[in-house]
């Protein structure tokens, strides 16, 4: 997400503390390894994934041009979750201090009944997330975008108002000596060695790769997003604990749920309200009626009603699902997809940006080994093989939460709540029911209580995965393609 139509909500202003200027100058990623063959890489899209890819590939020794259709870059007013699989990379990229200054570490995730507020599920986060090697954060999207922009900007060329309308995907040849290129809406042709589509859920570059449109399926849900200042919440003794002990709180209801958490050093409170779709549009920037939002959640507990009274305006977008693609790579081997362009995530697991940033880290690490043109396509194949299953599994996990959170009241909901209570009792060190010896809570309805699933999701290190592939496969198969090429293609 990087633009807003003139009739939609304007871009949010980043907080002053969201500053990483100069940080990238002292980085030494991949143990200082730089590609001996430097490519000119065209990245289409300047959202979170595009900026992360630009940063990682520039650090790997490549020349980067970002093409963005918008007239200005930034993000809408909304929160985003930064789980340990991402924060470990951000720390590695020098953003540790900035995250501590501007983001919030949630103490736990708390799952409640919508109408009574009864706590049915609870999993400790806070310092326990360090078991996965990095913390869990909540941050404003505009602040996150600004930090990634600060990392990438010194080493990239950014072209705004640059809408790509066609792509020549073919590598250099006698009939195509300059190789791949993109054509902009004004007729400008820009040549590069590799084109990366980081252009979001409605990706044009995806159509180039597939030769077709990947159909979107309505989930039946839409989402309201809103941010409220915490200054008024602090005055209410019933709401103040939401700030003094910041948890990610979810209220589960038939066909709906609400997730809420602190951002911006607890000065703001982010709300995401999922509800049955009523002919909304798939857009991050479409405004909606705050009164209609309150009406849609009028049967939620009094604490929620207090929160919703503080909402002056809200964004609303339709949630569409897309199946995993059969390939992310054009047959030419010179066009590839990243982030939402190849694996859009529903928000029920909060892993959309995380998967895009992991993509960027894997791609940058792999291409730090580049020494010959013959390695480009195999490295792209490695990227896809390392990433496709993980992102497809994460998509499936997100779909699971939609079903789990939205169960109608009845036997299935009661079974869900009992599973969550059992995991909560274990988490809090309470006596387990007789015969319950499940220490890992595998398959629990609270996916964050499922220890193997959390280890797989949050313990993932994109750099380690890429380094291991090179040691085990890449070095032996494509590591010595002949004389090292030092010149540009």
């Amino acid at each position: 997400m990087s633009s807003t139509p003139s009739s939609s909500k304007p871009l949010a202003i980043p907080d002053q503390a969201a500053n990483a200027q100069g940080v990238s100058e002292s980085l030494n990623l991949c143990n200082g390894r730089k590609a001996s063959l430097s490519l000119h890489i065209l990245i289409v899209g300047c959202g979170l994934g595009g900026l992360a890819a630009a940063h990682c590939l520039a650090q790997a020794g490549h020349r980067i041009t970002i093409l963005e259709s918008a007239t200005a870059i930034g993000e809408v007013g909304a929160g985003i979750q930064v789980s340990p699989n991402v924060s470990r990379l951000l720390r590695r990229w020098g953003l540790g201090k900035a995250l501590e200054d501007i983001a919030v570490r949630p103490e736990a995730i708390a799952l409640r009944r919508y109408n009574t507020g009864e706590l049915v599920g609870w999993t400790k986060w806070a310092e326990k997330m360090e078991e996965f090697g990095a913390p869990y954060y909540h941050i404003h999207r505009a602040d996150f975008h600004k930090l990634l922009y600060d990392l990438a900007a010194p080493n990239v060329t950014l072209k705004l108002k640059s809408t790509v309308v066609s792509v020549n995907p073919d590598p250099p040849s006698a009939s195509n000596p300059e190789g791949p290129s993109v054509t902009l809406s004004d007729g400008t042709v820009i040549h590069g060695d590799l084109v990366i589509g980081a252009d979001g859920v409605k990706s044009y570059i995806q159509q180039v790769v597939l030769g077709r449109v990947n159909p979107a399926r309505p989930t039946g849900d839409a989402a309201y997003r809103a941010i409220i200042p915490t200054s008024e919440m602090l005055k209410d003794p019933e709401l103040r604990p939401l700030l003094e002990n910041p948890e990610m709180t979810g209220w589960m209801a038939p066909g709906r749920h609400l997730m809420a958490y602190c951002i911006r050093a607890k000065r703001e409170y982010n709300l995401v309200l999922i509800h049955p779709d009523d002919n909304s549009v798939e857009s991050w920037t479409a405004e909606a009626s705050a009164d209609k939002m309150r009406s849609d959640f009028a049967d939620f507990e009094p604490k929620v009603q207090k929160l919703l009274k503080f909402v002056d305006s809200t964004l609303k977008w339709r949630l569409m699902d897309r199946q995993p693609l059969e390939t992310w790579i054009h047959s030419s081997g010179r066009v590839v997809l990243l982030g939402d362009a190849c694996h859009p995530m529903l928000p029920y697991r909060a892993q959309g940006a995380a998967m895009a940033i992991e993509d960027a880290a894997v791609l940058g690490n792999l291409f730090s080994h580049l020494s010959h043109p013959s390695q480009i396509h195999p490295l792209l194949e490695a990227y896809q093989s390392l990433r496709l299953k993980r992102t497809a599994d994460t998509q499936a996990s997100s779909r699971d939460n939609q079903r789990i959170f939205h169960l109608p009241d009845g036997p299935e909901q009661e079974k869900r709540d009992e599973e969550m209570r059992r995991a909560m009792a274990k988490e809090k060190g309470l006596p387990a029911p007789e015969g319950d010896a499940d220490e890992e809570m595998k398959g629990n309805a609270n996916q964050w209580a499922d220890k193997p699933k959390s280890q797989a999701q949050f313990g993932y290190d994109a750099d380690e995965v890429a380094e291991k592939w090179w040691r085990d496969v890449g070095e032996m198969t494509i590591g010595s393609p002949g004389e090292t090429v030092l010149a540009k293609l």
Side-chain angles (χ1 to χ4, degrees), residues 72 190 197 219 361 376 394:
I190 302 175
T219 63
I376 296 174
T394 303

Side-chain angles (χ1 to χ4, degrees), residues 183-203:
T183 301
L184 306 183
S185 57
D186 65 1
T188 301
V189 178
I190 302 175
H191 292 273
D193 303 310
L194 177 65
V195 178
I196 298 176
D199 49 341
V201 295
K202 300 179 181 179
S203 170

Side-chain angles (χ1 to χ4, degrees), residues 164-167 199-200 202-209:
V164 175
V165 296
S166 69
V167 177
D199 49 341
K202 300 179 181 179
S203 170
Y204 168 71
I205 306 301
Q206 183 194 96
Q207 296 179 43
V208 172
V209 168

Side-chain angles (χ1 to χ4, degrees), residues 387-439:
R387 297 296 302 150
L388 199 151
K389 184 179 185 303
R390 174 166 171 81
T391 56
D393 288 348
T394 303
Q395 285 175 310
S397 179
S398 186
R399 293 185 196 104
D400 284 346
N401 268 349
Q402 179 191 26
R403 178 188 60 80
I404 291 166
F405 291 163
H406 293 184
L407 287 173
D409 288 343
E412 279 194 275
Q413 164 261 318
E414 292 169 1
K415 180 176 181 292
R416 174 200 69 189
D417 292 357
E418 184 54 38
E419 279 189 24
M420 289 187 174
R421 289 189 189 98
R422 183 164 57 87
M424 177 169 60
K426 187 84 68 175
E427 185 79 22
K428 292 176 175 284
L430 302 176
E434 187 175 348
D436 182 6
D438 183 5
E439 292 292 333

Side-chain angles (χ1 to χ4, degrees), residues 138-262:
H138 289 146
I139 190 170
H140 194 292
R141 292 188 71 96
D143 299 341
F144 196 11
H145 191 272
K146 172 62 163 51
L147 293 177
L148 291 177
Y149 174 80
D150 285 350
L151 285 181
N155 302 307
V156 307
T157 299
L158 171 62
K159 294 181 180 293
L160 300 175
K161 297 185 287 186
S162 298
T163 301
V164 175
V165 296
S166 69
V167 177
N168 170 16
D170 296 328
S173 65
S175 60
N176 184 44
E178 294 190 86
S181 65
V182 301
T183 301
L184 306 183
S185 57
D186 65 1
T188 301
V189 178
I190 302 175
H191 292 273
D193 303 310
L194 177 65
V195 178
I196 298 176
D199 49 341
V201 295
K202 300 179 181 179
S203 170
Y204 168 71
I205 306 301
Q206 183 194 96
Q207 296 179 43
V208 172
V209 168
L210 299 181
R212 61 175 177 82
V213 175
N214 187 40
R217 179 182 64 82
T219 63
D221 285 350
Y224 294 110
R225 283 187 176 272
I227 291 176
I228 57 179
T230 57
S231 54
E232 292 302 312
M233 292 173 63
L234 285 168
K235 299 174 184 177
D236 188 315
E238 191 176 23
L239 299 181
R240 191 183 305 121
L242 295 173
L243 311 176
E244 294 174 340
N245 182 41
E247 298 176 329
M248 183 168 81
T249 303
W251 286 266
M252 302 178 292
R256 293 160 296 157
H257 78 276
L258 160 61
M259 285 289 180
Y261 51 83
C262 296

